[in-house]
Amino acid sequence: KSEVIDLTATMQPDGALDWTPPEGKWVVLRLGYSLLGITNHPATPEATGLEVDKLDHRFVADYFEKYLDSYKETVGAEEMGNKGIQYVINDSWEAGSQNWTDNMLTEFKKLRGYDAVPWLPVLTGRIVESAAASDRFLWDFRKTIADLIANEHYQQLEQTLHQRGMRHYGESHESGRAFVADGMEVKKMNEVPMSAMWTQRPGINNPQYGYNADDRESASVAHIYGQNIAAAESLTAAAAPWAWSPATLKPTADQELLNGINRFVIHESAHQPLLGKAPGLTLGPYGQWFNRNETWAEQAGPWIDYLARSSYMLQQGRFVADILYFYGEDSNLTAIFANSSPNIPAGYAFDYINADAMIHELRVANGRILTKSGIEYKVLALDPYSRHMSLPVLRTIHTLVENGAVVAGPKPLDDPSLADDQADFEKLSSELFGNGSGVQKLGKGTVYAGESLAEVVNKINLQPDFDYIKNSSDSDVEFAHRKLKAGDIYFVDNRSNHEESIDASFRVTGMKPELWLAETGATVPASFQSGEGRTIVPLRLEAWGTVFVVFRTPTSGTSQFIPRPIMVRMATLSGPWAVAFQAGRGAPPSITLNQLSDWSQSQDPGVKYFSGIGTYRNTVQAPAEWFHNGHRLWLDLGEVRNLAEVTLNGKKLGQTWHPPYRIDVTSALRPGRNEVTIEVVNAWVNRLIGDQQPGATELTFADVKPYKANSPLLPSGLLGPVTIIREDNYESPR
């Protein structure tokens, strides 16, 4: 380093270098910087320009002030802030990377405490001092970029909004974005931390690890900093335009709820100003295509009610997690966990934590790690990625353990920063982790080095918050837990495509469980047995089914039995079925089906390519012996593509939007002859494909055409079988 000479002052205005080198062989290295030419996108041509310098708050403020002024000039100052436009969403970082700004050297020295100039040759691939020292400088350089992104860009956006009485939703990196900053550190600069969760293809619900990490990162920020809401750009799709239905969207939405998201920001709902032009305008190839032109728009109420009730429930109280998971300092969650989840034992919830929150937000009391917001954790877990640990973080962990914290994870290998005292690092690391294996006591706390989290929670006798016995190898029932002042809310989700009947075990006692059904708003009592600090509740969950188990009523009892009915099929509705089709969609006014069949398999092109509402009519003779006091009767529609609304004897009984497609008909079914009407709505896809057939008259309008004449049609209509089911033969207690 001592051989690196700064020649900047010897350069003349014309570029000539006025310097006489000392004796020896010298390399003269000139460094400069330039724009990358990246523009903001997507945007209309007149709104397109170079990206702002996000590492300097002066330029960010200047840009953002002008941006907000354009709204103020349009709607008026009185419609900005307390009413009118109150929030701005800062969307995901999609501008690539940036590694220099006018004040880079000054900011580096202020943030890292030493002069970067002698180390600048490292940026060109040269070694200064040693490879290890050069690597540490590069770590400091990246950390400086990250700090500037957080402080100069995101914090400036927050300050500018607050000056105008406005607030901030903020995404950062989604899954797979290039983002040289820490997601948690930038999301704390928001009233509502925000992430993203995309769909895959209808019916495909494989784990999306990167999006799960992004969601949980936002939720962790909300939990640690005391914000009640964690939002997500939700249900974004690039596959299967207009092919989605509430049934195929539900598993993705439920995964968001498991991840800690409790506000859905649906992406997207394009404005539809054109009358009679459907399905209409889009955001290019991206959806959700969620607007008034969706075929099932008028049937969307129960689906939106489900999202609203579920969100509301998970906004109550405080999040409960046993494990606080530190993932390291020099990469993003969505990169570290792009292809897997952290190794958290089943039945334990967790939050992520970054270096900034570790240093500034934690304390220990009674062996619990506490945030300023009041969340408490039992174990601080260290990801293997955190083996390269800065001295400020190591000092914080040392203090937490001295005060009583339990820490589990590998011994840090080295300090990645050139600014840190390496000898101090080695001393603290040895005091905390010893030789890197076994149990180390320090002050009031304990460090478990080199042991798995599963081993650690067992050693400290920390029981799972939620547990069940798997019925099959692919059983996957997951949970989220919120603590109320006088109760608990558990969200329980069957993440498989088959029914699960389980005995769910909760770390709660002395409280009576209730089942709260977000789809209907109904609450029902539940069977339970309690003892040894746990309550066991039998649950039956349909494929991709969910339920809220709520503990809010104290009880001295240790058990309760609520008999569950067995569903007995009473009759199957046979043909003929009269089917009338929505006008203007190319189908004949009506047809008769001797047996239920898929519209897309019809020989009539109008039926084959039909998209919209088909109304089925039939009659059913109900014998008097069907009607037992207190027993309910159901109309089970079998397979439906995609939503159905049932009317019986002129009485509307509601909609059903996912399997099992079943409607309670107790209030309307009567002995004798009954008139059954079933309105079924499918997706736009078949009509869009029909319009691409040779010689077809186009009945649809869309600004993108994602389907061709030979694209596969979607199954559509009422496929059945349609049956009458009675709740009967209640089970006996076990």
Side-chain angles (χ1 to χ4, degrees):
K1 187 181 73 169
S2 62
E3 297 174 351
V4 177
I5 302 172
D6 183 1
L7 301 178
T8 306
T10 69
M11 179 168 285
Q12 305 305 304
D14 64 355
L17 189 62
D18 184 8
W19 177 62
T20 303
E23 190 71 26
K25 185 177 180 181
W26 292 85
V27 172
V28 178
L29 183 63
R30 183 178 180 182
L31 294 97
Y33 59 95
S34 75
L35 298 175
L36 294 173
I38 295 173
T39 59
N40 61 307
H41 59 275
T44 56
E46 64 273 18
T48 300
L50 291 172
E51 280 281 353
V52 69
D53 179 355
K54 295 180 175 66
L55 306 188
D56 191 320
H57 72 277
R58 297 171 300 171
F59 305 131
V60 174
D62 183 62
Y63 165 78
F64 203 39
E65 291 284 356
K66 289 180 172 61
Y67 177 79
L68 294 175
D69 281 346
S70 69
Y71 283 92
K72 184 172 73 172
E73 291 166 5
T74 302
V75 303
E78 68 281 359
E79 295 294 336
M80 298 281 288
N82 291 330
K83 64 175 185 173
I85 302 174
Q86 300 175 44
Y87 285 86
V88 164
I89 287 182
N90 183 31
D91 197 10
S92 50
W93 181 290
E94 301 179 20
S97 196
Q98 177 187 346
N99 64 5
W100 199 263
T101 187
D102 293 351
N103 295 329
M104 190 69 187
L105 296 175
T106 301
E107 293 295 330
F108 183 96
K109 190 168 187 178
K110 181 170 68 176
L111 291 166
R112 305 280 82 84
Y114 67 93
D115 186 7
V117 170
W119 298 93
L120 291 181
V122 175
L123 300 181
T124 72
R126 290 166 170 81
I127 300 297
V128 175
E129 292 287 2
S130 67
S134 297
D135 277 345
R136 289 190 169 104
F137 165 71
L138 289 174
W139 192 91
D140 288 339
F141 190 77
R142 293 191 299 271
K143 183 70 171 74
T144 300
I145 296 171
D147 288 347
L148 293 178
I149 288 173
N151 300 330
E152 302 291 305
H153 179 57
Y154 286 91
Q155 184 169 272
Q156 181 59 56
L157 296 181
E158 183 86 340
Q159 290 173 353
T160 301
L161 286 167
H162 287 181
Q163 290 165 4
R164 294 178 180 239
M166 301 177 72
R167 287 155 289 181
H168 192 191
Y169 283 64
E171 292 187 51
S172 53
H173 47 103
E174 289 195 23
S175 177
R177 305 286 188 200
F179 188 62
V180 189
D182 180 81
M184 290 190 71
E185 195 156 351
V186 304
K187 287 177 181 178
K188 77 174 185 180
M189 312 288 188
N190 304 288
E191 277 67 43
V192 182
M194 189 166 162
S195 52
M197 174 63 79
W198 286 53
T199 60
Q200 297 172 68
R201 296 193 68 86
I204 303 299
N205 298 294
N206 298 322
Q208 298 188 89
Y209 297 107
Y211 288 119
N212 288 343
D214 189 29
D215 276 0
R216 193 171 290 273
E217 177 185 80
S218 297
S220 298
V221 169
H223 303 155
I224 290 169
Y225 293 97
Q227 297 142 308
N228 188 45
I229 305 296
E233 172 193 317
S234 298
L235 308 174
T236 314
W242 293 290
W244 295 90
S245 69
T248 54
L249 293 171
K250 182 179 184 291
T252 302
D254 290 340
Q255 182 64 63
E256 294 184 69
L257 296 169
L258 288 172
N259 293 340
I261 297 304
N262 55 19
R263 177 164 290 171
F264 292 94
V265 181
I266 295 176
H267 184 296
E268 47 68 36
S269 183
H271 178 48
Q272 301 297 328
L274 305 176
L275 297 177
K277 301 287 187 181
L281 304 180
T282 67
L283 186 66
Y286 303 107
Q288 249 340 289
W289 296 267
F290 186 83
N291 56 68
R292 65 186 178 90
N293 286 342
E294 179 59 89
T295 54
W296 45 267
E298 297 301 323
Q299 290 76 30
W303 159 234
I304 298 305
D305 287 345
Y306 172 79
L307 295 179
R309 291 190 187 106
S310 299
S311 299
Y312 178 80
M313 292 291 286
L314 292 174
Q315 291 168 11
Q316 307 308 305
R318 288 177 175 164
F319 181 68
V320 176
D322 293 311
I323 296 166
L324 192 58
Y325 198 89
F326 178 59
Y327 53 88
E329 300 175 75
D330 57 357
S331 189
N332 268 301
L333 280 170
T334 56
I336 300 171
F337 299 113
N339 300 305
S340 65
S341 297
N343 192 21
I344 305 293
Y348 299 87
F350 72 100
D351 273 330
Y352 289 116
I353 192 165
N354 67 342
D356 178 74
M358 177 98 75
I359 294 168
H360 297 110
E361 298 297 322
L362 301 184
R363 63 183 179 89
V364 178
N366 300 318
R368 300 290 189 260
I369 302 167
L370 305 178
T371 67
K372 295 175 184 176
S373 63
I375 306 290
E376 66 174 48
Y377 308 91
K378 280 78 169 185
V379 179
L380 173 63
L382 308 179
D383 186 81
Y385 210 89
S386 70
R387 284 192 176 108
H388 307 284
M389 184 180 292
S390 69
L391 185 57
V393 170
L394 187 61
R395 283 175 177 155
T396 297
I397 294 174
H398 193 277
T399 300
L400 293 173
V401 173
E402 283 186 316
N403 291 333
V406 173
V407 174
K411 180 179 181 177
L413 298 175
D414 57 39
D415 185 321
S417 175
L418 198 60
D420 290 346
D421 185 326
Q422 302 297 317
D424 197 7
F425 172 88
E426 293 293 340
K427 174 178 175 292
L428 293 177
S429 181
S430 294
E431 288 180 5
L432 278 168
F433 296 88
N435 63 5
S437 64
V439 180
Q440 194 83 4
K441 297 285 187 180
L442 180 66
K444 299 177 182 178
T446 309
V447 177
Y448 294 87
E451 298 189 39
S452 70
L453 267 176
E455 293 171 321
V456 172
V457 296
N458 184 55
K459 284 187 175 181
I460 65 175
N461 197 30
L462 178 60
Q463 296 297 309
D465 192 9
F466 170 81
D467 201 5
Y468 73 102
I469 296 175
K470 289 191 171 188
N471 294 318
S472 59
S473 60
D474 64 342
S475 292
D476 183 11
V477 180
E478 300 182 23
F479 79 105
H481 181 190
R482 304 284 296 194
K483 181 69 177 175
L484 308 175
K485 287 183 179 179
D488 294 85
I489 296 173
Y490 285 85
F491 174 68
V492 182
D493 182 7
N494 175 16
R495 300 300 300 168
S496 66
N497 60 4
H498 55 78
E499 183 181 282
E500 288 282 1
S501 290
I502 62 170
D503 287 335
S505 176
F506 302 91
R507 199 172 59 201
V508 175
T509 191
M511 303 288 281
K512 185 180 293 187
E514 300 169 333
L515 305 184
W516 289 36
L517 311 178
E519 296 178 35
T520 63
T523 63
V524 296
S527 299
F528 74 92
Q529 288 182 315
S530 63
E532 300 181 353
R534 304 194 70 82
T535 298
I536 297 173
V537 181
L539 297 176
R540 183 179 294 163
L541 299 166
E542 70 265 15
W544 305 106
T546 63
V547 68
F548 286 91
V549 182
V550 178
F551 297 87
R552 61 170 182 159
T553 305
T555 181
S556 58
T558 58
S559 67
Q560 172 176 276
F561 176 71
I562 306 294
R564 290 192 303 194
I566 297 172
M567 310 301 277
V568 178
R569 188 173 69 182
M570 309 305 294
T572 299
L573 276 66
S574 58
W577 294 84
V579 186
F581 292 99
Q582 185 176 0
R585 300 291 174 87
S590 63
I591 60 173
T592 298
L593 295 176
N594 290 322
Q595 59 184 18
L596 295 173
S597 60
D598 179 354
W599 298 342
S600 71
Q601 300 301 310
S602 174
Q603 297 303 307
D604 184 329
V607 177
K608 181 175 184 175
Y609 298 115
F610 176 77
S611 293
I613 298 173
T615 303
Y616 292 73
R617 288 183 171 84
N618 205 339
T619 61
V620 58
Q621 289 289 334
E625 57 265 27
W626 285 8
F627 300 86
H628 289 186
N629 288 337
H631 287 198
R632 309 200 70 78
L633 291 160
W634 298 82
L635 184 67
D636 190 305
L637 305 182
E639 187 176 357
V640 175
R641 297 298 181 93
N642 297 99
L643 296 84
E645 184 167 1
V646 172
T647 301
L648 185 60
N649 296 323
K651 182 176 181 179
K652 287 186 176 294
L653 298 179
Q655 298 157 6
T656 177
W657 52 273
H658 71 82
Y661 290 94
R662 189 176 293 166
I663 290 284
D664 186 342
V665 296
T666 309
S667 64
L669 192 68
R670 59 193 181 220
R673 189 174 186 273
N674 294 265
E675 299 284 344
V676 180
T677 302
I678 305 168
E679 291 187 349
V680 177
V681 57
N682 69 336
W684 273 115
V685 174
N686 292 356
R687 185 63 261 165
L688 291 167
I689 294 171
D691 283 2
Q692 299 303 308
Q693 301 306 307
T697 300
E698 288 199 8
L699 301 176
T700 60
F701 166 83
D703 59 354
V704 295
K705 295 187 182 297
Y707 299 103
K708 298 180 172 60
N710 61 351
S711 296
L713 297 172
L714 299 184
S716 296
L718 178 62
L719 307 182
V722 179
T723 56
I724 301 291
I725 296 176
R726 188 175 69 195
E727 294 184 7
D728 210 352
N729 299 323
Y730 287 85
E731 65 178 358
S732 300
R734 285 174 286 178

